[in-house]
Structure formats: C-alpha cells, structure tokens
Amino acid sequence: MSGAAASSLPEMLGRLKLTALRDRLDVLLDEAARRDLNLPEALGLLCAAEVAHREERRIQMGLSIAKFPYVRTLEGFDFAAQPSLDPKQVRDLAACRWVANGDTLLVQGPPGVGKSHLAVALGREAVQQGYSVLFTSAMALITDLMKAQAEGRLEEKLTRYAKPKLLIIDEFGYLPLEPHAAHLFFALVSCRYERGSNLVTSNRSVSEWGIVLNDQVVATAILDRLLHHSDVLTIRGDSYRLREKRRSGLHKSNVAPAPAGASA
C-alpha cells in the first residue's frame, strides 16, 4: 500500500462508519504484524474487532431501551435456595425459543423468592440474542394506559407497548386494580396476542386473577390469550430477604416461649 493510501486509511474507515476499526487501527495492525498474519488473516482480525464493537454497542443500546431497574443475571441466581425450581428448565428458557415463538412465560410465587430477578435475567438474555425488550411494573403499565386514555392517546400507547418482541410485566397482583383497568389490560394483551411474547411475574395464582382485576369475565379472557401458548414457573421457596434477616438474627419468631415448668 502506498504511503498516501495508508495515511488516508483512517479517513476512509470513518467515511465507511467503521469507527471502532479506525480508532484501533494502529493497535490491530501491530498485533497482525506481531502474529505474522497473512493478508486474509489480518483482514479477519480487523473485521472481527469491528463486529465485536458493533455487537457490544447493540447490546448496550438494547439494555438501555429495555429499562431494566437493576442488573440481574442467571449466574447470580441462587438455585440452591429455591429447590422448587429446575435449573435445567430455566436455562432452557434462557435460549429464548419461547420469545421467538411469541409465547408467554408466567413466573409465580410468594414475595421475595426471586421472580423479578429471573424476569430481568431472562430479559437480558433476550436482548443479547437480538430481541427487543421492554420492562415495566404492572402498576406503572396500568397507570400509563389510564393516563393515555384520559388524554385520548390510548391507541398510540397500545402501539408502543405492542412493539417490543418481549414485554416484561413485573409484580402483577400486588395491588388490586380499578375495574376499568382490567379492560385496558385486556386491550394490551389482545394487541400483543400471537405477535409478541410476554413475561409476567405475579404473587397470585391464575385462579386469583379475577380478584386482582375485579372482573372474572375479563380475567378469563386475558388468561385465555396469555396461557394459549405458555410456560409457567412456580417458585415455592422462602423469601430471600427474610432468610437473610434470620441469618443475621434480626427476624424473630412470633412464637412465645413456653412458661417455666410447662410440659412439652
């Protein structure tokens, strides 16, 4: 390569939007020379660096758009503390075939057992595999839909929530919803039916959704769509937070000590 062509190489890479390659060009060329790579091998090294940079940028952008409230991973989940969960099943779900198929995943169990942890971790796996994801709490979702309806923007808002390939709705059932909210939730589920995947975490069994929604008929219609193509994870373990309090001695038993001299 002539000296003029070599000196203009960074500019040409910039015009081609190969910015990661441009910024690391000298380091990568030194590495290629040190490893005594031939031309195809050196070109492969340069391209691999650009591809890795773009993939990392894509993942970071996807995680930002998803609006996860915190970082949680499957590697950080304590399966030993929740023996009711099958680690193999969870890792199979991490392959995200259910997301590709537009299925629903329902994660249910009492408070504090790691439902939200699994939801975020599986959502991150979906982002890494190229799927668009949006995370929201159930109350924030319903509040947003009710506000949009009051402002005459419900269709616009439903379209926004229909776009992600995976919509994660966290903490459904912790508070009862207003009767009209059930119809808004039904509209959203119908909008996403067989188009996108849903992951819902709940402390209520599906038999109690009619109570949460204050409308058994609408609850049945919602579950009919959500559970048509679905997987269910049920966690029956103890709360992580209560377990840690017991270990530290901060959580005391409510059972009163037996009086002195009382028989066993």
Side-chain angles (χ1 to χ4, degrees), residues 225-243:
R225 286 159 176 76
L226 285 179
L227 301 181
H228 183 203
H229 307 286
S230 66
D231 291 286
V232 179
L233 285 180
T234 301
I235 310 176
R236 299 185 179 87
D238 294 330
S239 164
Y240 285 107
R241 290 180 284 273
L242 289 180
R243 187 183 302 111

Side-chain angles (χ1 to χ4, degrees), residues 53-254:
H53 170 75
R54 293 192 178 196
E55 181 66 7
E56 179 61 26
R57 187 171 60 182
R58 179 195 66 76
I59 291 173
Q60 291 305 317
M61 184 177 296
L63 292 174
S64 176
I65 293 173
K67 300 187 184 303
F68 294 120
Y70 35 66
V71 176
R72 296 291 186 271
T73 64
L74 290 182
E75 291 75 16
F77 189 84
D78 188 0
F79 285 99
Q82 302 298 357
S84 62
L85 271 181
D86 179 1
K88 183 178 181 299
Q89 181 185 10
V90 175
R91 294 190 182 98
D92 185 60
L93 290 168
C96 293
R97 287 184 292 272
W98 60 281
V99 178
N101 295 334
D103 296 348
T104 290
L105 175 60
L106 176 60
V107 184
Q108 58 185 17
V113 295
K115 299 186 301 297
S116 297
H117 183 139
L118 283 178
V120 172
L122 290 172
R124 289 175 64 88
E125 292 290 333
V127 168
Q128 292 181 25
Q129 294 183 43
Y131 299 109
S132 57
V133 178
L134 180 62
F135 181 102
T136 180
S137 71
M139 291 308 299
L141 171 66
I142 295 301
T143 299
D144 200 22
L145 292 177
M146 293 183 70
K147 180 181 177 183
Q149 185 178 49
E151 296 173 349
R153 299 185 298 105
L154 181 59
E155 289 302 319
E156 172 189 335
K157 190 64 66 173
L158 288 173
T159 300
R160 173 179 177 269
Y161 282 115
K163 282 183 178 180
K165 181 61 177 176
L166 172 60
L167 178 64
I168 301 176
I169 304 172
D170 194 33
E171 298 183 333
F172 178 83
Y174 281 82
L175 294 173
L177 304 179
E178 298 180 21
H180 183 60
H183 295 275
L184 294 177
F185 192 46
F186 173 75
L188 173 63
V189 171
S190 296
C191 193
R192 292 186 57 81
Y193 180 58
E194 294 191 333
R195 293 177 54 189
S197 290
N198 308 288
L199 192 164
V200 183
T201 74
S202 180
N203 65 321
R204 301 292 193 102
S205 66
V206 293
S207 63
E208 299 177 285
W209 279 35
I211 299 173
V212 176
L213 293 165
N214 285 299
D215 192 317
Q216 187 61 54
V217 174
V218 175
T220 300
I222 289 171
L223 288 169
D224 179 63
R225 286 159 176 76
L226 285 179
L227 301 181
H228 183 203
H229 307 286
S230 66
D231 291 286
V232 179
L233 285 180
T234 301
I235 310 176
R236 299 185 179 87
D238 294 330
S239 164
Y240 285 107
R241 290 180 284 273
L242 289 180
R243 187 183 302 111
E244 290 304 314
K245 285 185 177 181
R246 291 192 190 101
R247 288 176 180 173
S248 62
L250 295 176
H251 185 266
K252 299 180 180 179
S253 173
N254 293 327

